[in-house]
Amino acid sequence: MGKGGMRRIALSSSLPEDALTSGARVTMIGRGCVLVEGQRGVVELGGGRIRLKTPGGMLSVLGQALELRELSADAAMIVGERIETATYARSDAQREG
């Protein structure tokens, strides 16, 4: 079954979409914490920006005094004084396919 079919099943069963797909789950907790479940690696780590590879593309988290507080095989917790944005940019391979 393709991505579209799994998404329809998740939506029709009132399950979160990521429960049946390989997408990442991004949860913002207040203004100073982001939990990313399903990440596939750290691409950039700087005080104002952290970029993570995810199944949906590159996730960039921008803010002030950001730190990668916890990192496991599939999850990352980013904390800082203030999270300003969390945005996706699709990779070149995903644009072509």
Side-chain angles (χ1 to χ4, degrees):
M1 183 175 295
K3 280 185 178 179
M6 294 302 282
R7 183 172 191 272
R8 282 191 294 277
I9 290 172
L11 293 174
S12 68
S13 65
S14 299
L15 290 172
E17 185 176 339
D18 65 328
L20 297 175
T21 65
S22 62
R25 177 185 290 209
V26 180
T27 306
M28 292 188 73
I29 304 162
R31 298 181 85 183
C33 183
V34 174
L35 174 63
V36 183
E37 298 170 282
Q39 61 85 23
R40 294 185 176 165
V42 179
V43 175
E44 182 179 346
L45 186 59
R49 178 164 78 172
I50 296 177
R51 292 185 343 157
L52 302 172
K53 190 176 183 182
T54 74
M58 200 66 62
L59 175 69
S60 295
V61 178
L62 302 176
Q64 295 179 357
L66 299 181
E67 297 177 13
L68 188 58
R69 182 69 51 92
E70 294 184 29
L71 181 66
S72 68
D74 69 342
M77 181 174 287
I78 300 168
V79 297
E81 290 178 14
R82 185 175 75 208
I83 305 294
E84 295 170 359
T85 63
T87 57
Y88 273 106
R90 296 180 74 84
S91 69
D92 289 338
Q94 290 170 321
R95 286 182 189 144
E96 294 170 5

